[in-house]
């Protein structure tokens, strides 16, 4: 399977998760579950791509890189800080969107 996918970068996945979390923020244009899923997937892919490009530029500039235990510790600390924020936004995104729909737009809350 590695020949098909290549190596997957955990820091880039975490950046994609940040982008996905941002896509869950409420907007004045209500989004149904299908549209939100498509938007979240596209935005996550863009975040991952930005991370890969940044990593490529970092290596091309011959900048120092973390490796071994230090890299694993930095990735774990980032994940431990990011995952609870992601879960919090995931749990409350529908509530926030419905509050905006009811207060600002005067339309019915979203279902789902």
């Amino acid at each position: 399977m590695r020949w098909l996918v290549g190596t997957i970068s955990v820091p880039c996945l975490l950046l994609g998760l940040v982008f996905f979390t941002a896509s869950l923020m409420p907007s004045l244009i209500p989004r149904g579950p299908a549209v939100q899923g498509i938007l979240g997937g596209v935005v996550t892919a863009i975040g991952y791509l930005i991370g890969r490009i940044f990593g490529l530029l970092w290596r091309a500039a011959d900048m120092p890189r973390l490796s071994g235990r230090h890299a694993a510790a930095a990735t774990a600390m980032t994940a431990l800080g990011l995952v609870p924020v992601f879960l919090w936004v995931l749990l409350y995104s529908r509530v926030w969107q419905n509050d905006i729909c009811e207060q600002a737009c005067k339309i019915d809350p979203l279902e789902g």
Side-chain angles (χ1 to χ4, degrees):
M1 187 69 162
R2 180 169 269 202
W3 62 270
L4 179 64
V5 178
T7 58
I8 295 176
S9 169
V10 174
C12 293
L13 282 176
L14 291 174
L15 183 61
L17 186 63
V18 169
F19 276 62
F20 182 77
T21 303
S23 78
L24 292 175
M25 294 296 160
S27 69
L28 291 176
I29 302 170
R31 299 183 290 256
V35 174
Q36 181 61 51
I38 293 168
L39 177 68
V42 168
V43 169
T44 302
I46 290 170
Y48 184 84
L49 179 64
I50 289 171
R52 292 297 271 196
I53 290 170
F54 183 76
L56 178 68
L57 293 175
W58 189 272
R59 283 189 298 276
D62 231 5
M63 301 290 285
R65 291 187 284 169
L66 288 177
S67 62
R69 295 176 71 191
H70 296 296
T75 301
M77 287 179 9
T78 303
L80 286 175
L82 181 61
V83 169
V85 172
F86 167 71
L87 292 174
W88 177 65
V89 170
L90 187 64
L91 289 172
Y92 286 100
S93 63
R94 180 66 57 191
V95 174
W96 297 332
Q97 184 64 50
N98 284 338
D99 287 346
I100 286 180
C101 286
E102 290 171 354
Q103 293 174 6
C105 302
K106 306 292 187 221
I107 59 176
D108 295 330
L110 295 173
E111 296 177 10

